[in-house]
């Protein structure tokens, strides 16, 4: 099996202006000066010797084979930007062709590929610089000595593919102030003896650099061993780290693992999709949950995620949770999530902190709040779940203190096993008819059935306006802050997530809130009514299209997430449907106003 890393766009974006471009091509020659495509050098090693801070390296498409030996080590340099996937002769970065920039921003028509052609290297193919805080580089490719790409501080890795790569510890490692965006991480695996201590991507706010890292619009697919993405924050007062708009599909490992020590960096996980992930978790590892796993002493908020068709195949044991979701820290929160058709031999969900406004339907596996849990379960829906341990929902030890109120569940489906826990206000009568188009059975279903399901609330659902919105005197959950920076509560994006439901509807209307992940219809706009030239316009996404409602005839311009114009449409007064090719984030300009919307 080949191990390769595809450079597909701006690997690393430094802040300095470009002074010159050094060109690399498979038919280049290292006796050249790299000043033009005709004078291209043959490899990135040579290009780095010719580049200085502020320069760029452009690499033509093709395969570049890395081999063992003393000449292998590449001495990376600070603030040198690297771009790949050019056709020889391209005069600009924008000239490169991407067949499907919306759905596959990492895929180029003429990819640059670094590979070891199946050979496991004994050393790192790329070295790293420690000379400044702003370090640009990547290291190790199918190697036996640790990290494959070591991105120390201030690095943006964008539009890249990391595929079928092996290592003993970590494939991609961000140590501080990094951003991974619009990438694919697929088929990565461990070469180490302890495969549980392997990470396809690890982001670490270290005590040395005290800077956070963020991950946005990355697809993690078919990765094996350890964790696909691991967040390890142990620095204090650094802002907050986020994971947004990511997809985890078909992985046979822990998808997203947390290990945040002390009063460390708060984390927001928002609008991510987890499906078809399957593994057998074991006790005493990083947390025992297929989708989310681990512990956090700092605030972790998981909001607006869809979790479906995932399976934990481990046998039920007394000392292991073997869950789909395992959030062990009391400061961890699960809000506005749709969790359906997952299967576990023991627990579907284990949340020791807050669980608010989630829809939990058609799963095989119990919901357990046990072992010194301290938190609140509020405004959730639990329907047609098959318990595998105890009851559908249960608390199990005398040291737990869970308040379980205003949830859509039959009173007989919850067991309170200690005097400290509290349960009240059961909203009964919620069943399959309460949803617009639910899946038909509990447990795993086909991908098509899962994707076509609609768990927003039917007009007759008893879950509508049945929730509690001012719990303990708080309005619309402002108490669910992400954390503190220098003694100041951090609300910003996290609170915005709590103010709206999974479809982007305003959460509290006329002082009322519904149960579950949806306040209103699944396709309701995620952008408010906005005045446009003294008239109103509404823009929102539905499956395969963008809806524009306006009171006047005008033009609409649709841009993909890269900022490329993909459609110009004349729209009439009323409702207009603009078809788009794929899911994702779009920017729409209507008249003189700009909007953003998500097509799911």
């Amino acid at each position: 099996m080949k191990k390769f890393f595809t450079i597909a766009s701006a690997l690393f974006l430094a802040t300095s202006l470009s002074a010159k471009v050094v060109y690399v091509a498979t038919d280049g020659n290292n006796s050249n000066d790299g000043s033009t495509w005709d004078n291209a050098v043959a490899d990135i090693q040579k290009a780095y010797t010719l580049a200085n801070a502020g320069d760029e390296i452009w690499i033509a498409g093709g395969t570049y084979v890395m081999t063992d030996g003393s000449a292998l080590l590449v001495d990376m340099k600070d603030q040198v930007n690297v771009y790949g996937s050019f056709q020889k002769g391209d005069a600009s970065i924008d000239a490169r062709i991407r067949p499907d920039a919306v759905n596959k921003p990492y895929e180029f028509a003429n990819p640059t590929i670094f590979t070891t052609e199946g050979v496991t290297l004994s050393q790192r193919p790329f070295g790293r610089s420690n000379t400044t805080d702003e370090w640009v580089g990547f290291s190790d490719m199918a190697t036996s000595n640790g990290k494959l790409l070591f991105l120390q501080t201030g690095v943006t890795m964008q539009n890249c593919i990391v595929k079928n790569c092996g290592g003993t510890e970590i494939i991609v490692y961000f140590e501080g102030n990094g951003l991974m965006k619009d990438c694919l991480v697929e088929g990565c695996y461990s070469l180490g003896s302890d495969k549980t201590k392997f990470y396809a991507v690890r982001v670490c706010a270290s005590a040395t650099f005290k800077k956070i890292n963020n991950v946005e619009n990355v697809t993690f697919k078919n990765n094996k061993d350890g964790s696909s993405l691991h967040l390890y924050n142990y620095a204090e007062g650094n802002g907050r780290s986020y994971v947004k708009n990511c997809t985890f599909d078909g992985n046979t490992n822990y998808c997203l693992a947390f290990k945040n020590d002390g009063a460390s960096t708060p984390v927001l996980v928002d609008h991510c999709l987890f499906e078809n992930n399957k593994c057998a978790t074991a006790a005493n590892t990083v947390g025992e949950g297929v989708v989310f796993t681990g512990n956090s002493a700092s605030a972790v908020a998981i909001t607006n995620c869809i979790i479906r068709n995932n399976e934990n195949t481990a046998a039920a044991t007394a000392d292991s949770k073997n869950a789909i979701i395992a959030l062990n820290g009391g400061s961890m929160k699960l809000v506005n999530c749709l969790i359906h058709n997952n299967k576990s031999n023991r627990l579907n969900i284990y949340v020791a902190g807050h669980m608010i406004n989630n829809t939990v339907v058609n799963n095989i596996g119990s919901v357990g709040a046990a072992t010194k849990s301290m938190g609140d379960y509020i405004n959730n829906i639990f329907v047609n779940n098959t318990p595998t341990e105890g009851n559908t929902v249960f608390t199990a030890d005398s040291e737990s203190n869970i308040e379980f109120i205003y949830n859509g569940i039959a009173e007989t489906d919850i067991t309170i096993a200690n005097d400290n826990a509290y349960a009240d206000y059961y909203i009964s009568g919620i069943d399959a008819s309460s949803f617009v188009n639910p899946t038909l059975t509990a447990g795993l279903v086909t991908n098509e059935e899962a994707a076509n399901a609609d768990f927003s609330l039917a007009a007759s659902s008893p879950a509508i306006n049945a929730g509690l919105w001012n719990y303990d005197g708080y309005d619309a959950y402002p108490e669910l802050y992400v954390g503190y920076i220098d003694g100041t509560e951090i609300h910003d994006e996290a609170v915005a997530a709590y103010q709206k439901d999974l479809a982007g509807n305003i959460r509290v209307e006329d002082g009322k809130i519904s149960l579950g992940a949806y306040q209103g219809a699944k396709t309701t706009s995620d952008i408010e009514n906005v005045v446009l030239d003294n008239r109103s316009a509404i823009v929102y996404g539905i499956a395969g299209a963008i809806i524009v409602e306006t009171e006047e005839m005008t033009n609409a311009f649709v841009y993909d997430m890269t900022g490329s114009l993909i459609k110009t449409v004349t729209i009439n007064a009323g409702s207009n449907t603009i078809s788009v090719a794929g899911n994702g984030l779009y920017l729409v300009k209507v008249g003189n106003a700009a909007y953003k919307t998500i097509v799911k």
Side-chain angles (χ1 to χ4, degrees):
M1 180 182 294
K2 289 186 177 181
K3 297 98 174 173
F4 61 88
F5 175 76
T6 305
I7 297 183
S9 182
L11 279 184
F12 313 111
L13 306 180
T15 58
S16 58
L17 296 176
S18 175
K20 70 174 182 292
V21 174
V22 180
Y23 296 88
V24 182
T26 54
D27 61 352
N29 191 304
N30 283 346
S31 63
N32 293 334
D33 63 6
S35 59
T36 65
W37 285 120
D38 290 336
N39 292 314
V41 297
D43 53 54
I44 191 172
Q45 295 97 312
K46 179 63 176 180
Y48 267 109
T49 67
L50 299 172
N52 298 304
D55 291 346
E56 295 177 353
I57 296 175
W58 291 15
I59 308 176
T63 299
Y64 297 79
V65 179
M66 311 298 290
T67 58
D68 244 335
S70 59
L72 180 64
L73 188 65
V74 177
D75 186 12
M76 307 292 289
K77 291 183 178 180
D78 294 345
Q79 302 179 44
V80 173
N81 298 344
V82 181
Y83 300 85
S85 303
F86 291 91
Q87 187 75 34
K88 281 191 68 176
D90 282 347
S92 71
I93 293 170
D94 294 336
R96 297 168 301 166
I97 298 172
R98 284 186 289 175
D100 187 0
V102 173
N103 293 303
K104 298 180 179 180
Y106 44 76
E107 190 172 277
F108 283 69
N110 191 41
T112 295
I113 298 173
F114 289 101
T115 179
T116 63
E117 292 195 333
V119 176
T120 299
L121 306 177
S122 63
Q123 61 180 9
R124 293 178 178 177
F126 293 90
R128 63 185 180 96
S129 167
N130 289 305
T131 57
T132 71
D133 286 340
E134 296 295 326
W135 186 84
V136 180
F138 58 91
S139 66
D140 292 7
M141 191 170 306
T143 180
S144 60
N145 75 345
K147 303 169 183 66
L148 191 137
L149 305 176
F150 195 121
L151 311 178
Q152 191 171 358
T153 60
V155 179
T156 294
M157 179 178 179
Q158 186 170 355
N159 303 113
C160 299
I161 295 175
V162 182
K163 188 172 183 178
N164 297 338
C165 291
T168 57
E169 183 185 358
I170 304 170
I171 300 299
V172 181
Y173 179 71
F174 288 87
E175 194 167 48
N177 202 30
L179 172 64
M180 188 176 194
K181 184 177 181 181
D182 300 335
C183 294
L184 171 67
V185 180
E186 181 177 2
C188 294
Y189 58 93
S190 173
L191 296 173
S193 57
D194 186 351
K195 297 186 181 299
T196 65
K197 296 179 180 179
F198 170 80
Y199 315 102
V201 177
R202 193 181 202 191
V203 297
C204 179
S206 72
T208 301
F209 294 101
K210 296 183 181 297
K211 296 179 180 180
I212 53 88
N213 305 275
N214 297 313
V215 182
E216 182 175 349
N217 199 36
V218 176
T219 296
F220 297 87
K221 187 174 183 179
N222 299 333
N223 296 293
K224 308 170 185 178
D225 308 321
S227 305
S228 287
L229 175 60
H230 188 261
L231 277 67
Y232 187 15
N233 294 320
Y234 55 96
E236 298 181 12
N238 304 318
R240 47 112 181 92
S241 184
Y242 65 74
V243 179
K244 293 183 179 180
N245 300 318
C246 291
T247 297
F248 296 78
D249 182 8
N251 301 289
T252 53
N253 60 7
Y254 304 109
C255 292
L256 179 50
F258 303 95
K259 189 178 186 302
N260 299 313
D261 297 338
S264 57
T265 305
V267 177
L268 173 65
V269 180
D270 188 54
H271 282 98
C272 293
L273 171 64
F274 300 81
E275 62 180 350
N276 306 317
N277 302 289
K278 179 179 180 179
C279 74
T281 66
N284 303 316
T285 57
V286 291
E288 307 156 21
V290 172
V291 170
F292 301 118
T293 190
N295 200 344
S296 178
S298 64
V300 173
I302 296 169
T303 64
N304 303 309
C305 291
I306 297 176
I307 301 158
R308 65 194 184 199
N309 263 359
N310 302 285
E311 184 178 9
N312 191 327
T313 61
T317 61
D319 62 349
S320 178
K321 299 173 189 68
N322 290 334
I324 302 299
I325 297 171
L327 302 175
N328 299 323
S331 62
M332 305 181 85
K333 309 169 185 72
L334 188 67
V335 182
N336 286 350
C337 291
L338 173 60
I339 304 161
H340 71 94
N341 292 100
N342 301 286
K343 180 181 179 182
S344 172
N345 291 321
R346 189 174 180 211
L347 296 183
N348 178 41
I349 301 172
Y350 174 92
V351 176
H354 299 277
M355 186 173 175
I356 300 174
N357 274 107
N358 301 283
T359 298
V360 184
V361 184
N362 287 352
N363 300 282
I364 296 176
S366 299
V367 178
T371 315
K372 302 180 181 180
S373 297
M374 305 288 289
D376 310 297
Y377 285 30
I378 308 171
N379 293 348
N380 303 286
I381 294 176
F382 301 95
V383 172
N384 197 34
N385 298 287
T386 303
T388 50
E389 176 181 339
N391 213 335
T392 299
V393 178
F394 65 91
T395 62
D397 80 315
S398 60
E399 296 182 77
S400 294
N401 188 352
I402 292 289
E403 294 196 7
F404 186 91
I405 55 177
Y406 283 86
N407 291 286
I409 188 173
E411 186 172 352
T412 55
D413 287 340
I414 177 171
T415 299
I416 302 296
N418 62 76
D419 295 334
N420 294 322
Y422 172 78
D424 203 356
Y425 297 101
Y426 304 95
I427 291 83
S428 60
I430 301 174
D431 55 22
S433 66
S434 296
F435 306 108
V436 173
N437 182 36
T439 52
L440 300 179
T441 59
L444 304 179
V445 294
T446 65
N447 288 340
E448 182 179 8
E449 183 178 356
N452 291 333
D454 184 348
F455 285 96
S456 59
L457 300 175
S460 59
S461 173
I464 292 178
N465 296 333
L468 178 67
W469 70 275
N470 58 348
Y471 178 59
D472 278 354
Y474 292 104
D475 296 343
Y477 312 133
E479 83 280 16
L480 298 176
Y481 57 83
V482 174
Y484 287 90
I485 298 179
D486 297 328
T488 302
E489 291 185 7
I490 301 305
H491 290 265
D492 57 9
E493 293 169 287
V495 165
Y498 301 124
Q499 306 300 322
K500 296 185 180 181
D501 73 354
L502 184 56
N505 303 291
I506 297 298
R507 251 304 172 198
V508 179
E509 297 180 308
D510 298 325
K512 296 178 180 179
I513 187 170
S514 296
L515 304 182
Y518 294 100
Q519 179 74 14
K522 181 179 178 181
T523 57
T524 299
S525 173
D526 59 352
I527 302 215
E528 314 314 316
N529 237 335
V530 177
V531 174
L532 170 64
D533 298 333
N534 297 317
R535 298 176 182 271
S536 62
I538 299 175
V539 178
Y540 60 92
I542 63 174
I546 296 170
I547 305 300
V548 178
E549 299 176 4
T550 182
E551 296 180 1
E552 61 184 5
M553 178 181 290
T554 185
N555 290 323
F557 304 89
V558 181
Y559 300 82
D560 63 24
M561 66 181 65
T562 68
S564 299
L565 179 66
I566 60 174
K567 281 196 174 184
T568 301
V569 180
T570 299
I571 57 174
N572 299 309
S575 180
N576 301 264
T577 301
I578 304 174
S579 61
V580 291
N583 299 336
L585 177 67
Y586 290 86
L587 301 177
V588 184
K589 183 179 179 183
V590 182
N592 296 320
Y595 307 80
K596 67 177 180 178
T597 190
I598 296 175
V599 174
K600 297 182 179 179

